[in-house]
Amino acid sequence: MQTISETDLILNPDGSIYHLNLRPEDIANTIITVGDPDRVEVVSKYFDKVEKKVSKREFVTHTGYLGSTRITVISSGIGTDNVEILMNELDALVNVDLPTRTTKQEHTSLNIIRIGTSGSLQESIPVDSYVVSKRGIGFDALGHFYPTSISPFSEAIQAQMNLDFLSYTSSGSQKLYDLLFDDKNPLYFEGNTVTCPGFYAPQGRVLRYNPKQGNLLQKFNQFSFQGNVLTNLEMETAGYYLFGELLGHEVLSMSAIVASRMTHQFSKNPEKHTESLIQQVLEKITRL
């Protein structure tokens, strides 16, 4: 067993973990994550019972029951920096004995499903469709601080796009993919999802500047490797998948497509479209 120092694993005076303000008994083994704190209640309103509500900074948590299935929904805020905090602290809640700060001998694997919004990179993936990510390709710096390998996918991106930095690639949970991907629904698409470190220039948006990485959207759109294209872009998926692989959790990212970056269309009702995805996930999640 490994003992973790007080400054590496910080606890609040009530024994809860530092940022999330949660204790182990406050979370379920099945967790839905959302970016927007206001979206937590959009999920939990479908629960038959909510037994716990906790709020600290951007991390809002509701835990309750859908039928006999205990579920937690928690918000991360925007970006992989917040995902890094969320995933490390969720893992510590189940795999570290907090009072003694020692790692547990028996590993607990969580089921973590991210439900978010995204923009598509291919005209064939329309507004108001859904992307279920097989891979997360990180264009942020998080992968430089954790054990990651340079995959052939990332090498191909570097070769074709001629970027100033290397991406990292991680994969989602096949178990959750098999459960939640609806192969009979033509609005569901398998995804290779680009995770960006910002919303504007890192996603090819141009306001009052000339981006350093020119024609970024076109480079994303035109990339192809062994029959795989880049499907969509957002700001969290690669971080989730990195920690799923690193810490041994089942993690899947599902995105409601609210924008088509190639046709410049935006959803007429993104909130309704995203809530529809939430409902579809909740219909299947009790099978875990």
Side-chain angles (χ1 to χ4, degrees), residues 118-135:
S118 184
S120 70
L121 289 166
Q122 305 295 330
E123 289 188 33
S124 59
I125 302 175
V127 166
D128 295 337
S129 62
Y130 306 103
V131 170
V132 184
S133 304
K134 293 286 281 189
R135 297 181 184 89

Side-chain angles (χ1 to χ4, degrees), residues 47-225:
F47 292 0
D48 297 306
K49 174 186 176 183
V50 176
E51 63 180 16
K52 187 75 177 184
K53 292 185 177 182
V54 177
S55 177
K56 186 176 181 182
R57 303 188 186 187
E58 59 266 70
F59 304 107
V60 176
T61 304
H62 292 180
T63 295
Y65 284 86
L66 183 60
S68 60
T69 302
R70 192 168 186 245
I71 302 171
T72 292
V73 55
I74 185 168
S75 60
S76 66
I78 298 174
T80 57
D81 51 347
N82 288 346
V83 170
E84 191 253 6
I85 292 171
L86 175 69
M87 290 295 289
N88 272 298
E89 294 196 2
L90 285 176
D91 179 76
L93 285 172
V94 295
N95 288 310
V96 177
D97 181 74
L98 297 188
T100 62
R101 290 187 174 81
T102 55
T103 56
K104 296 179 180 179
Q105 290 185 331
E106 184 175 346
H107 176 265
T108 296
S109 180
L110 299 169
N111 297 305
I112 300 172
I113 301 153
R114 171 198 174 268
I115 301 176
T117 58
S118 184
S120 70
L121 289 166
Q122 305 295 330
E123 289 188 33
S124 59
I125 302 175
V127 166
D128 295 337
S129 62
Y130 306 103
V131 170
V132 184
S133 304
K134 293 286 281 189
R135 297 181 184 89
I137 303 98
F139 283 72
D140 61 310
L142 191 61
H144 298 296
F145 295 89
Y146 288 92
T148 56
S149 58
I150 304 302
S151 71
F153 207 94
S154 289
E155 289 178 338
I157 287 175
Q158 181 64 24
Q160 292 185 36
M161 297 181 62
N162 192 29
L163 299 172
D164 295 337
F165 49 86
L166 282 174
S167 62
Y168 62 95
T169 302
S170 302
S171 298
S173 163
Q174 188 64 47
K175 180 185 85 169
L176 294 180
Y177 182 91
D178 291 342
L179 174 68
L180 296 171
F181 186 85
D182 188 349
D183 58 5
K184 296 181 177 62
N185 188 333
L187 291 178
Y188 271 66
F189 294 86
E190 181 178 299
N192 297 303
T193 299
V194 174
T195 295
C196 300
F199 185 76
Y200 289 95
Q203 294 190 30
R205 292 183 170 90
V206 181
L207 301 183
R208 293 196 315 108
Y209 45 76
N210 292 317
K212 182 178 179 182
Q213 305 291 340
N215 301 315
L216 191 57
L217 275 181
Q218 288 72 23
K219 291 178 180 178
F220 285 146
N221 170 259
Q222 294 168 11
F223 171 82
S224 179
F225 175 66

Side-chain angles (χ1 to χ4, degrees), residues 130 144 191 249 254 260:
Y130 306 103
H144 298 296
H249 299 292
M254 305 181 70
S260 171

Side-chain angles (χ1 to χ4, degrees), residues 269-281:
N269 197 334
E271 292 82 9
K272 181 180 179 181
H273 178 49
T274 306
E275 187 165 353
S276 177
L277 180 58
I278 289 167
Q279 292 172 304
Q280 292 173 61
V281 170

Side-chain angles (χ1 to χ4, degrees), residues 241-269:
Y241 285 7
L242 184 157
F243 287 105
E245 290 185 349
L246 181 65
L247 299 174
H249 299 292
E250 302 286 345
V251 185
L252 190 72
S253 175
M254 305 181 70
S255 297
I257 298 299
V258 299
S260 171
R261 298 303 308 280
M262 307 317 296
T263 65
H264 308 289
Q265 292 177 303
F266 195 80
S267 176
K268 300 300 183 185
N269 197 334

